Amino acid sequence: LENLLRAIVDSLTFPVGDFAVLNLIAATTNAFNGALLARRPTHYRHYTLVGILLLAATAGIAGGVSRDVILLKIPAALTNPWYLILSGLAAALALSIEFRSGQRFREGMFQFMTALSLPWFAAIGANAALEAQLPIMSALAIGAIGGTAGRYVVDLTSDVTPKQFVKGEWFVGTAVLTSAVYVVLYYAGWSIWPATLLAVGIGFAFRLVALLRAWEEPEPWEPAEARAGEPSRRPLGEAISEEFRPR
Amino acid sequence: LENLLRAIVDSLTFPVGDFAVLNLIAATTNAFNGALLARRPTHYRHYTLVGILLLAATAGIAGGVSRDVILLKIPAALTNPWYLILSGLAAALALSIEFRSGQRFREGMFQFMTALSLPWFAAIGANAALEAQLPIMSALAIGAIGGTAGRYVVDLTSDVTPKQFVKGEWFVGTAVLTSAVYVVLYYAGWSIWPATLLAVGIGFAFRLVALLRAWEEPEPWEPAEARAGEPSRRPLGEAISEEFRPR
Amino acid sequence: LENLLRAIVDSLTFPVGDFAVLNLIAATTNAFNGALLARRPTHYRHYTLVGILLLAATAGIAGGVSRDVILLKIPAALTNPWYLILSGLAAALALSIEFRSGQRFREGMFQFMTALSLPWFAAIGANAALEAQLPIMSALAIGAIGGTAGRYVVDLTSDVTPKQFVKGEWFVGTAVLTSAVYVVLYYAGWSIWPATLLAVGIGFAFRLVALLRAWEEPEPWEPAEARAGEPSRRPLGEAISEEFRPR
């Protein structure tokens, strides 16, 4: 029992460096957003309290875990117990705020918090990729993955088309822009804190303007056959022979 | 050809340690369950025989592969060919039993087998996390992932809301309880076999009682707007200006 | 700024070995297919241009990233920027071809390109697994994952039952066959290029014949209760007591 208590205390006093603090803020914000998202009418699927806590914690750590696994590190969210603890608390806080507020307030808070955590995770992801000696292209990709993977998991779980791929006020665009700014500052020799703050500031401002002005990604022309149902599945041979049949 | 045959024989005589035996039992049970699950009316999506074998094998190894990838090990399910062989055989067995039995028997067998493999994978996951020097919080998380990741994959594939997040007779709760018991025993100095058996026994008993008594996770209050359709997407600017408009 | 430019130039002149060239061809083909797939009426979900580029790039690299993460390597698609660059270009090309062609031509091109990239990724996956000293069973599994993971991601994202599990003219079967041929050639001492070309040739031919002749995986008997709606959820205890009640 003494061993158990000592292990608990030791793990809670885990030393936190700069990177961990940035990461914890982003994960907590993302978990908060995840809980609000799971409760939106578009996403709510009769989730239980346990389910919402789990989904929020998953949203909180998914970006960081994906990033770390790809970079072959044991995920920070698992070596440091505070990620899961703070994510759980953030989810509980989100539920309690949701209970006491109107829909409009919730929507505004959700949009504001997402606008904050999105560039935050993107900057951290870009930094992690550059530190791992990956090329710039990958810094942008890992910034985008870090910033938006949590949303992907929640959308898939809730059977909603993931926001990355549909109109979303430049959701992924914001992550890529933030990562790009971070890359430029990194190569200009800035250190991690000021570079992160400036990149996040720019990404955050862009996101807010995109939300206020309803900037959207362009949609291509409608496919001729879309929504007309699946084309009947025919053997390729039949289709080809028909193609060459005289008309 | 001689090289090929020797490679096959060598790989089949892979030495199995304690950990591998535990793991193989859990994976085989999970594959068996996966095949039954894929055939349930709720999940069946005109899967082919090949599809059911694949989905069952995936369900069998998903928990262990997720756990190993997160802990930066080459997944045991790929270094040891018996995982895939036994998973395939278990899926075939499940199909053949399903063919010859009534729905009620199948349901009971499915629930019983799940109640067994769930805590089994949880205990193994918790042990692996502790052996990797991760904090207790992560042992609980990896226990939950190991025990329930297979179900998540099958549910997502079948377009069903994953059981982790909806009412499920404390599905994840059972995994966390088992992991917690394992953690306590681990710090009390128990060795792997007795600790696993006791933790699994407690988890299994809890699960059976939860099933028999229909214990369910609490659902929070219904969101006011749920099922009322998606709120119309308006630019944030419009919503804000409306908010501040005199009424 | 000079540093930034030098970093960009350096990363673009990344030295490409045999393995990288094979891999780049496969990834580019898969991204091309991914863009066409995202535009098919069955899969189109009002994706934006950004969304289609992202989904195509994901389809292009998903197989390789999954394979590399499982084998504990930093994904080639992230150490070499050409994967993402060529995937993006392939997606743009696919969109422009789609715009100018009829549906039948697109379908044929899609089927042809898939028939090519599927065995290609499978052979590379099998080779990577064998080089990592994994057993033959895992070479088949990783060949199948490499060849079909991209499709899984696109199908899940588009809310379509993943092709792996339903009738698909031996989609996974083609990947496993190709991997098996590669394994035999590998143990016969063939080197990577000829072994890949022969295995891919056989897989490609098999796939084309399967498409032309409409060979399909067998579907098992229909489950008695399928489509009859979910069985009402009753506590296991109630079901059991009913089971033993005299009739």
Side-chain angles (χ1 to χ4, degrees), chain C residues 43-147:
Chain C
H43 286 71
Y44 186 64
R45 298 283 174 272
H46 288 286
Y47 295 130
T48 61
L49 283 176
V50 174
I52 292 169
L53 288 183
L54 281 175
L55 201 49
T58 306
I61 69 174
V65 168
S66 309
R67 179 197 64 215
D68 290 346
V69 164
I70 288 174
L71 298 177
L72 298 193
K73 296 181 198 160
I74 298 218
L78 292 174
T79 54
N80 181 338
W82 285 104
Y83 285 88
L84 289 170
I85 296 170
L86 291 178
S87 290
L89 291 176
L93 179 66
L95 276 178
S96 112
I97 290 176
E98 189 226 337
F99 183 61
R100 275 176 282 168
S101 64
Q103 192 213 342
R104 196 163 296 155
F105 176 77
R106 284 204 306 276
E107 273 297 305
M109 182 172 61
F110 175 74
Q111 296 294 4
F112 184 86
M113 296 294 275
T114 312
L116 197 62
S117 70
L118 175 60
W120 203 268
F121 254 121
I124 296 171
N127 175 70
L130 293 171
E131 292 287 326
Q133 314 287 340
L134 293 185
I136 289 166
M137 204 69 182
S138 305
L140 305 185
I142 290 181
I145 292 171

Side-chain angles (χ1 to χ4, degrees), chain A residues 8-70:
Chain A
I8 293 177
V9 170
D10 279 359
S11 73
L12 294 183
T13 55
F14 186 93
V16 285
D18 277 3
F19 186 71
V21 169
L22 281 175
N23 237 328
L24 270 172
I25 295 172
T28 308
T29 315
N30 251 6
F32 185 89
N33 292 339
L36 289 180
L37 183 59
R39 292 285 292 169
R40 287 171 94 180
T42 45
H43 285 71
Y44 186 63
R45 299 284 174 270
H46 288 286
Y47 296 131
T48 61
L49 282 175
V50 173
I52 292 169
L53 288 183
L54 281 175
L55 200 50
T58 307
I61 69 174
V65 168
S66 308
R67 180 197 65 217
D68 290 346
V69 164
I70 288 174

Side-chain angles (χ1 to χ4, degrees), chain C residues 166-184:
Chain C
V166 293
K167 290 193 176 185
E169 292 110 352
W170 294 93
F171 180 57
V172 176
T174 304
V176 172
L177 171 68
T178 309
S179 305
V181 172
Y182 191 91
V183 165
V184 171

